[in-house]
Every structure is written in C-alpha cells, then in structure tokens.
Amino acid sequence: MNNYFSIQDIDCLNEWIKDAIKVKNEPLAYKTLGEDKTIGLLFFNPSLRTRLSTQKAALNLGMNVMVMSFTDQGWSLEYGDGIVMDQGNSEHIKEAAQVVSQYCDVLAIRAFAKLENREDDYSEKVLKSFIKYASVPVVNMESATNHPLQALTDAITITEYQKTDKPKVVLSWAPHPKALPQAVANSFVEMMQRMDADFVITHPKGYELASQITKEVPIDYNQENALKDADFVYVKNWSSYEKYGEILHEDSEWKITGEKMSITNDAKFMHCLPVRRNVVVDDIVIDSPNSIVIEQANNRTYAAQLVLKKILEKV
Ligand code: CP
C-alpha cells in the first residue's frame, strides 16, 4: 500500500481487522520496523485523538515523529496551477510537498472541509495535491470528505463488541451548534457497506449524505423507528450536503437520550469524539456502561499502527 487516502485502500477488510487486533494485543511486536524512519504529521486543523494516537502508533513502531501545525506555523499554501501568487498565499504546494518529502519517509495530513464550496471540498484538493507532489506515502488523518483512520477504528471496535454475526448498526444524526463536515459520516457509511451489518441511517430531512456514498443504504427519517433493536448506535452531526455546509434547523429532539437508548437491543453507544455533552448526547448515555467511546478512541492507535506497519513494510 502506497497511500492510505480512503477505506478503498483496504484490500481485505476482515484481514485488516484481525491484524489490527493482533497489533493491539502485542503493540511492541514490530518496535524496530520503523527504526531510522520519520513520519511528519501535518495539521491544517485541530486534533486530540488523531494527533496523539498516530504519534503513539508511530512510536510503537520505532519511528521518529515530527508534528507541524499549518494553522499557525506553516506558510499558507497555494494549490492552483499557473497562479500569479501576488495575494495571500506564500508557498506553492509543489515546493512544500517535495521539501517535506526530503525530511520524512511518511507524511500524514489533516485538512478538513471548508464548507464554503462543495465542489472544491469534494475535489479533495489538499490531500490529492500532497499525494501528487510528495515522493513519500501519504496517510489521511481526516480530509474534506473522508476520515478513514476513524472508520477503520470503528470497524475494529464493532468487531470486538458484536454479539451476533450481523449486528444492527444505526448511524444517527444529532444536533450541533456548529456546521460540521460530512467526513466521519461518509467514511462510516462506506465502512458499514463493507461489513456484515444490518445498517440504517437516520437523520432529519435535508441532511441526506451524498448519494454516491450512501448508495442503497436505507434511510429512516424517524429516529425512534430506526433505533428499534439496534445493537450499535453511532452518533454524529454533519451539515447539509444539499444546501452545502448549512445547519438547516435546531432539531434538539434528535439528541440521544436514555429513553431513546431503551428502545434499542441494549445497544452500545459510539461517537468518534469530541462530543458536546447534553447537546448531542445526554450524560446518562455517555456515562453509562453501554458507552464504548473511550475504548473506541483507544483503538485509534491500533488502526493507525496497522496502516503505518503496512506502509513501512513497503518503503
Ligand atoms: N475523532 C477524531 O478524529 O478526533 P480528533 O479530532 O480529536 O483527532
């Protein structure tokens, strides 16, 4: 594997999940694989889990780690071809990507959707430009439309907790005061289509994700109906795809409550974090024994470690 850009880069999902669980059971088994190799983690947006879990994963493999925030430290980058750079951007991606490739053996990049222009975000300009101009493998730490490290984590976590061969998994939209990207939901939907799951999406009308991603997945606009008999409830807010980047209405009745969880089949509660308590989910749910968000976040390390291991085995 050269790059980990989306979950399409996972060739055999079942093998990957098994391998990630092996890595989790023995995280230092490959502690010299990355010796004398350096990973550069480049952030265009904030992070807690992705930054620290990817760093931990790299350290477990013996790699050196360099971290840089482009929000306040890097030059602002230009991506256009043939642009006269007499405006705000100071450095072109062509030089930036080639230069950092000389310092690093692997690059990992976080660059969220700006939610201003759908075509621009869905072109994945930042990640695809790094992949085009870098001479080393690139890992997606959440791009405009994808969060494949999170989705691999989610698949590992569901596998660890599932009690039946084909669990019912519900992705429920929940309210949020800020407009958020669709990346986590997109990758989770794509992942559930690859897993053996009875998968349903529930959200208010107007929050349909891109049809090229949801394909034939059933959408139920009645949240309580969707939650019936669920084994896993995965909760996430996203802004509208159709009215791109907009919050359509408040919809506080879509918050996940203890009452709603009681409709489920004693479901596990999942969220990628960070989460706004008592806006997205009530304390009583996230603090309950059925909440697996902390273990889910723990698995971020082993998803990242498996991806880096596969890349290191090729470089
Ligand atoms: N889930 C996730 O990506 O968390 P961070 O934004 O804190 O990295």
Side-chain angles (χ1 to χ4, degrees), residues 43 45-53 110 112 141-142 147 149-150 184 234 236 271-274 296-297 300:
F43 286 90
N45 307 96
S47 170
L48 186 157
R49 279 142 290 273
T50 305
R51 174 173 172 162
L52 294 181
S53 64
R110 163 164 283 200
F112 287 174
M141 295 196 297
E142 188 173 343
H147 196 351
L149 287 174
Q150 182 68 53
V184 170
Y234 194 104
K236 185 72 186 85
H271 191 287
C272 63
L273 305 180
Q296 191 182 349
R300 290 295 308 271

Side-chain angles (χ1 to χ4, degrees), residues 219-234:
I219 297 168
D220 193 335
Y221 296 112
N222 183 324
Q223 188 189 38
E224 295 198 0
N225 200 42
L227 291 174
K228 274 181 205 148
D229 302 323
D231 298 300
F232 293 90
V233 178
Y234 194 104

Side-chain angles (χ1 to χ4, degrees), residues 129-235:
S129 298
F130 269 101
I131 288 170
K132 183 172 176 185
Y133 296 115
S135 54
V136 297
V138 172
V139 175
N140 182 345
M141 295 196 297
E142 188 173 343
S143 63
T145 70
N146 264 303
H147 196 351
L149 287 174
Q150 182 68 53
L152 179 56
T153 299
D154 300 335
I156 295 163
T157 309
I158 288 173
T159 302
E160 287 181 322
Y161 282 91
Q162 72 183 69
K163 291 184 191 144
T164 58
D165 289 344
K166 191 171 181 174
K168 179 172 177 183
V169 179
V170 179
L171 169 63
S172 178
W173 183 94
H176 198 282
K178 284 176 70 179
L180 299 184
Q182 292 113 26
V184 170
N186 285 345
S187 289
F188 186 72
V189 169
E190 290 183 322
M191 183 56 87
M192 287 308 104
Q193 289 174 84
R194 291 185 62 174
M195 286 188 81
D196 200 8
D198 173 13
F199 180 49
V200 180
I201 306 172
T202 183
H203 57 69
K205 283 191 178 161
Y207 285 103
E208 289 77 9
L209 294 163
S211 59
Q212 66 269 23
I213 289 169
T214 54
K215 297 183 179 136
E216 306 302 316
V217 175
I219 297 168
D220 193 335
Y221 296 112
N222 183 324
Q223 188 189 38
E224 295 198 0
N225 200 42
L227 291 174
K228 274 181 205 148
D229 302 323
D231 298 300
F232 293 90
V233 178
Y234 194 104
V235 180

